Amino acid sequence: MTRASLLFGGLLVLAVIPLFVQDSYTRHLFILAFIYAVIASNWDLSLGYAGLFNFGHLVFFATGVYTVAIAAKTLGISPWLAIPMSGVTAAIAGLIVSAPVARLKGIYVVLVTFAFGQLVLQLILSQSHLTGGAEGMVRIPYLQIGDYKFISDFKLGYYYVALGLLIVSTLYLLWVTNSTFGKSLLAVRDNEDYARARGIWITRQRVLVLTLSAIFPGVAGGFFAAYLRVASPEVLSFGTLSLALSMVLIGGAGTIIGPIIAAFLLIFATEAMAGIRGMEDARFLIVAIGMILVLRFAPGGLAQLVRAPRKKP
Amino acid sequence: MAGNILEVRNLTKSFGGLKAVNDLTFDVKEGELLGIAGPNGSGKSTLFNVMTKIPFGPTGGEVVFGNQRIDRMPPHRIAALGLARTFQKDAEFPDLSARETVALAAVYGRKLSRAGAMAATEEQLHAVQFDPARADMPTTELSVFDRKQLMIASALVMQPRVLMLDEPASGLTRPEITALDALLCKIAASGVTIMLIEHVLSLLLSVAQRLIVLNQGSLLAEGDPQTVIKNPAVVEAYLGGRAA
């Protein structure tokens, strides 16, 4: 099965799902899966494609969450305008974090990006007059057109906006990864010296990839805030980080499609386990074990199982 | 007489107390094929490394390319100026095909558009006689000779003024070395200056117009290849006391 046919088939299924799934809770899970799929697949651009062990990708999501929260609630800007703005602010955050990261390697990238996440968390907690501090912000304006509220009809509007976001984000990622820039990321990841010898400016590529991979997680964060109507420091918690990172690694780093599939599997699996008595807390342990097993027996992740072999003469 | 395209002045690379390149001074003339020989560990590859700053630059001295001092430039700028190198060990991008590898060098090393890069790639793969049927294979599935051809093609597509080849014949069979010999002569005839590090002396002596020999990071001998190779100091450096 080719990547294109898998994507097209998956898209078709997702587009008609609301015809058959009409309960609010299941649609909520789909919306969460769409949001996490955007985060994980864009994280994969910097981690899987560029080989940057960036552990701060949720900062871009959080930037989007608080951009919409502050813009829509505090400043009274329409959430329809605030959501695209969150992509811009997240890209600026990506540009800022790329400055120290672009010249670093391996564990130092992990440390700096993780520290950046903690810095942003402390900023959110300390600037409570603006961010609501530890309590966060509530009653963020929701999405509506005229009198139609997107929460109506069992969240039908939110479902399709989130699906649209995932589609646009995925097309964007496929465009980037199939471009010469995308190929240069693979080259830099696999052989820095050879890449330099062929004229590639590695620092610039890293700055670009961190900035480009921040845009859609920011937009997803903005949508998340307008959907749940809450902005909370919880978006930067270790649990959220490990869940999103699990999606990248279980799905298959450097594949884009893998983290998207893994986002659906993990969101539904963890929610299913939450409904089983005694599994509420153990479910994240099970995800962690699953991640170890996948990395041990299928290091290429789930995408390895569906990836078409490369053409041979 | 052709002028110098490269001037290396008192170039030094130290690793702690060890001087891998020791106060090296020599010139490369425009259009010549300069051979570089020396026993293992003599500093040949380190010389290429510090000249191109990949992966490290020199600790002293200077390198002038054309009229520009390049030892303070970042590596990608040195490459884009026209100093293209290959590597002793097979360098490859495992997730790219041969065609993608060359096209990437055309875009970044020569600043071509994607369409221009694709055309230049086809031209260059043809020029090095790379089998077109293997151009879309992952580079990890190519033979050693294919990879050597590919590395040269990806350097040449940048239209370098100086091509620095680091042991291109290592691991090749005799017929492949003959084919490489012909390719090097063709590249040299096109006007590209070549610096060639090679352990296969028959190839080196066949194609080099001038030879420098390094030993322990220093210049041991320089001149006509046939004369230099008979220099007693060179023979001793290669064979030790037995030849003395």
Side-chain angles (χ1 to χ4, degrees):
Chain A
M1 192 184 295
T2 65
R3 189 160 72 163
S5 60
L6 187 73
L7 274 172
F8 184 73
L11 178 63
L12 202 65
V13 170
L14 291 172
V16 299
I17 272 180
L19 298 177
F20 308 101
V21 177
Q22 295 182 339
D23 73 283
S24 188
Y25 177 66
T26 310
R27 283 185 184 175
H28 166 70
L29 292 185
F30 271 105
I31 292 167
L32 285 185
F34 295 149
I35 291 170
Y36 271 97
V38 170
I39 299 169
S41 55
N42 280 272
W43 195 342
D44 189 30
L45 182 64
S46 66
L47 196 152
Y49 270 81
L52 274 173
F53 293 102
N54 154 31
F55 269 48
H57 223 78
L58 281 178
V59 166
F60 310 138
F61 178 68
T63 303
V65 168
Y66 278 94
T67 297
V68 165
I70 295 167
K73 186 176 180 188
T74 312
L75 304 178
I77 296 171
S78 160
W80 289 110
L81 191 61
I83 290 174
M85 276 171 57
S86 60
V88 177
T89 52
I92 293 169
L95 194 62
I96 292 168
V97 74
S98 71
V101 163
R103 292 174 192 275
L104 299 175
K105 280 185 178 180
I107 187 71
Y108 299 103
V109 176
V110 176
L111 292 174
V112 169
T113 52
F114 190 76
F116 185 67
Q118 293 304 303
L119 183 74
V120 171
L121 178 61
Q122 291 309 315
L123 203 64
I124 290 169
L125 293 173
S126 63
Q127 303 302 308
S128 53
H129 61 287
L130 197 64
T131 61
E135 282 80 34
M137 297 170 76
V138 293
R139 298 179 65 80
I140 294 165
Y142 45 76
L143 291 180
Q144 66 180 91
I145 294 178
D147 289 335
Y148 183 76
K149 294 173 183 168
F150 276 51
I151 200 81
S152 312
D153 300 325
F154 307 103
K155 302 179 177 174
L156 188 67
Y158 278 115
Y159 180 95
Y160 280 111
V161 173
L163 177 59
L165 178 60
L166 175 60
I167 291 169
V168 175
S169 162
T170 306
L171 290 175
Y172 162 80
L173 289 172
L174 293 178
W175 172 69
V176 171
T177 53
N178 285 316
S179 68
T180 309
F181 171 72
K183 305 293 179 196
S184 79
L185 296 180
L186 295 176
V188 171
R189 180 194 68 187
D190 292 334
N191 197 328
E192 282 188 20
D193 288 345
Y194 193 14
R196 281 194 182 97
R198 295 299 170 262
I200 298 174
W201 184 6
I202 292 178
T203 305
R204 186 184 63 181
Q205 303 305 85
R206 287 184 174 155
V207 168
L208 280 173
V209 77
L210 275 170
T211 307
L212 293 175
S213 66
I215 296 170
F216 275 94
V219 176
F223 172 80
F224 183 82
Y227 169 57
L228 291 182
R229 306 188 64 199
V230 171
S232 145
E234 185 66 17
V235 292
L236 282 171
S237 70
F238 194 74
T240 316
L241 184 147
S242 54
L243 181 64
L245 185 60
S246 305
M247 291 166 183
V248 180
L249 299 177
I250 290 176
T255 63
I256 302 298
I257 187 81
I260 293 174
I261 295 170
F264 284 91
L265 289 178
L266 289 182
I267 288 291
F268 280 92
T270 52
E271 283 303 315
M273 284 188 276
I276 302 169
R277 196 170 174 183
M279 292 289 280
E280 297 90 342
D281 295 327
R283 56 190 169 149
F284 294 111
L285 186 65
I286 292 170
V287 170
I289 292 169
M291 184 164 75
I292 292 167
L293 290 175
V294 167
L295 290 176
R296 171 64 183 85
F297 295 106
L302 298 174
Q304 192 179 13
L305 307 174
V306 294
R307 183 186 279 176
R310 211 161 174 157
K311 191 173 74 178
K312 290 184 184 180
Chain B
M1 185 150 176
N4 293 334
I5 192 166
L6 263 171
E7 294 175 5
V8 175
R9 296 280 172 264
N10 308 106
L11 200 65
T12 300
K13 178 65 187 178
S14 303
F15 296 102
L18 173 74
K19 285 192 172 176
V21 174
N22 188 7
D23 201 25
L24 205 56
T25 295
F26 67 93
D27 298 326
V28 182
K29 293 177 177 50
E30 183 144 27
E32 79 169 335
L33 199 159
L34 175 70
I36 302 170
N40 284 331
S42 59
K44 304 183 297 297
S45 292
T46 308
L47 171 64
F48 273 17
N49 291 344
V50 295
M51 285 177 71
T52 56
K53 296 187 75 178
I54 300 171
F56 41 68
T59 41
E62 56 185 65
V63 180
V64 178
F65 178 43
N67 294 320
Q68 287 181 284
R69 193 168 165 187
I70 60 170
D71 50 276
R72 290 174 182 166
M73 287 182 184
H76 67 275
R77 272 200 66 201
I78 295 173
L81 272 178
L83 204 64
R85 68 169 294 182
T86 66
F87 294 85
Q88 185 180 349
K89 289 183 180 164
D90 290 338
E92 60 195 20
F93 301 130
D95 277 354
L96 300 187
S97 68
R99 190 169 267 128
E100 288 168 335
T101 299
V102 179
L104 202 62
V107 170
Y108 286 95
R110 194 168 145 195
K111 312 296 178 206
L112 291 178
S113 65
R114 192 167 183 172
M118 291 318 295
T121 296
E122 297 310 315
E123 190 182 318
Q124 202 56 65
L125 287 173
H126 177 73
V128 302
Q129 297 183 319
F130 191 89
D131 181 359
R134 302 160 82 80
D136 287 322
M137 285 172 68
T139 50
T140 46
E141 292 177 19
L142 297 175
S143 69
V144 174
F145 185 59
D146 287 335
R147 291 185 208 185
K148 300 282 185 186
Q149 282 181 306
L150 174 59
M151 209 169 357
I152 293 173
S154 67
L156 284 176
V157 81
M158 301 196 298
Q159 291 195 326
R161 292 174 67 196
V162 177
L163 177 63
M164 305 167 77
L165 301 169
D166 194 350
E167 295 197 35
S170 67
L172 299 187
T173 63
R174 178 53 55 189
E176 289 168 343
I177 291 174
T178 305
L180 179 66
D181 188 327
L183 177 61
L184 294 183
C185 291
K186 187 176 153 187
I187 296 167
S190 71
V192 176
T193 305
I194 298 176
M195 294 175 72
L196 172 65
I197 295 174
E198 191 47 73
H199 270 302
V200 179
L201 280 179
S202 58
L203 173 68
L204 196 60
L205 297 177
S206 154
V207 297
Q209 294 155 351
R210 200 160 61 94
L211 186 65
I212 62 173
V213 179
L214 305 183
N215 191 32
Q216 295 180 352
S218 300
L219 188 64
L220 186 64
E222 180 180 7
D224 170 66
Q226 297 299 337
T227 309
V228 166
I229 208 71
K230 289 171 190 155
N231 181 322
V234 172
V235 174
E236 184 174 353
Y238 263 97
L239 302 176
R242 285 173 289 162

